[in-house]
């Protein structure tokens, strides 16, 4: 169906994955394991599981669903979910398609009905197995996916609203948009962005998947690039219409901001990190929009980071190198901040204290406040994300009264960094 995410496909060239049967009490930790015999599985999906060494008691569960041409192991290798699980102790389930297209069934009548058969039933069995095996917290089960996996995320939240707390769909379409009755996996009208419905009509499609259900519905985060030529951009607006209707909130955003250059984020029904619906539009970006750092933002939307806007670096997870070049009454400082941790940093503040007598007169790469004493440098829009082992360089000019030294200690988002 798609040629999406070639880098992730390349990552699918993985070593042999150990296998555990359903008779095994638990899978090995810190490695991707195939689980067999996990339960009802009408479409012969494979189940892969990642359990971190530090798995928590009653862990949360994230179901990470791959794109067309992909696989569970490719999703494991090409996204940060396992690394985030290492940090926060949740379990990740990676469903994997065995049919030749490697696309999930988001089209058939069976797939678009709770308990109707096909892929959603197999994925539900994977969740049930994980809940039983690890005494997982049934109030903290989440779905996320890319392309075909994003469409399946919409389907899972529609079919099983009582199972999932939230979902995050990267380049998807609304629930029911891809529906076919002729056995075809592809719906050209939907992919082309020509199917439009009222919010009520979209919402009714979701509600029809589980007739009579009146309980809490899962929150939804959707991502889309404006230049998507595989699942066209109008699908983004249709998803927003659908999920605002399902969750009973206004289609008028409660908040709009730009968390990163070229991104427009709208939140519906509330203004915080866990609004009922959150939508991120990426200007000028095509179908292959997924990039490192986005999973951490989805994690924040899920509420699994426990610390606010993004996973915070742990002690020793950052390094700062600072040098100065001085003249009689002034200096130029160059500062390099390196993420030495294993998860992306999304949004940063670097705190340091200027030596007595120094006052910043201008700076670059960050916003500096105040200009003397205990200073905080806040990221610019273009450098707010720092991938593992990556660095950003910032700097400033300052006046000095004789002491032209660089600061000697730094804290990144409140955590001390190694200084050199």
């Amino acid at each position: 169906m798609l040629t999406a995410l070639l880098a992730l496909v390349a990552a699918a060239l993985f070593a042999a994955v150990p296998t555990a049967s359903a008779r095994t009490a638990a899978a090995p930790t810190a490695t991707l394991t195939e689980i067999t015999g996990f339960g009802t599985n009408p479409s012969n999906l494979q189940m892969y599981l990642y359990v971190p060494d530090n798995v928590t008691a009653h862990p949360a569960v994230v179901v990470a669903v791959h794109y067309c041409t992909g696989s569970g192991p490719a999703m494991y290798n090409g996204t940060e979910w396992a690394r985030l699980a290492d940090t926060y102790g949740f379990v990740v389930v990676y469903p994997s398609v065995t049919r030749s297209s490697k696309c999930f069934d988001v089209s058939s009548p069976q797939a678009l009905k709770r308990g109707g058969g096909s892929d959603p039933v197999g994925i539900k069995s994977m969740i049930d197995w994980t809940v039983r095996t690890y005494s997982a917290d049934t109030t903290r089960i989440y779905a996320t996916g890319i392309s075909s996996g994003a469409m399946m995320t919409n389907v899972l939240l529609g079919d099983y609203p009582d199972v999932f707390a939230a979902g995050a769909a990267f380049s998807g379409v609304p629930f029911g948009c891809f529906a076919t009755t002729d056995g075809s996996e592809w719906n050209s009208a939907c992919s082309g962005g020509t199917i439009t419905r009222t919010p009520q009509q979209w919402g009714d499609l979701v509600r029809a998947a589980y007739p009579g259900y009146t309980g809490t519905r899962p929150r939804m985060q959707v991502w889309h690039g404006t230049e998507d030529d595989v699942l066209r951009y109008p699908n983004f607006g249709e998803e927003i219409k659908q999920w605002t209707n399902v969750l009973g909130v206004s289609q008028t955003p409660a908040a709009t901001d730009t968390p990163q250059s070229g991104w427009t984020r709208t939140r519906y029904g509330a203004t915080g990190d866990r609004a009922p619906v959150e939508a991120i539009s990426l200007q000028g970006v095509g179908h292959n929009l997924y990039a490192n750092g986005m999973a951490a933002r989805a994690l924040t939307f899920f509420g699994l980071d426990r610390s606010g806007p993004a996973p915070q670096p742990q002690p020793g997870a950052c390094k700062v190198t600072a040098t100065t070049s001085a003249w009689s009454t002034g200096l130029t400082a160059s500062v390099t901040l390196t993420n030495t941790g294993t998860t992306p940093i999304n949004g940063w503040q670097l705190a340091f204290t200027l030596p007595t007598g120094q006052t910043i007169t201008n700076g670059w790469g960050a916003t500096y406040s105040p200009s003397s004493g205990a200073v905080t440098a806040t990221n610019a829009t273009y450098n707010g994300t720092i991938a593992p082992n990556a660095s950003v360089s910032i700097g400033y000019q300052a006046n000095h009264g004789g002491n032209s030294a660089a600061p000697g200690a730094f804290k990144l988002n409140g955590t001390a960094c190694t200084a050199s």
Side-chain angles (χ1 to χ4, degrees), residues 146-171:
I146 301 168
S147 191
S148 178
M151 293 192 279
M152 178 52 73
T153 297
N154 279 266
V155 169
L156 289 171
L157 268 60
D159 285 357
Y160 296 102
D162 54 332
V163 172
F164 294 95
F170 296 84
S171 301

Side-chain angles (χ1 to χ4, degrees), residues 60-80:
V61 178
V62 173
V63 180
V65 193
H66 68 74
Y67 43 90
C68 279
T69 75
S71 67
M75 195 72 173
Y76 164 77
N77 284 315
T79 65
E80 311 98 300

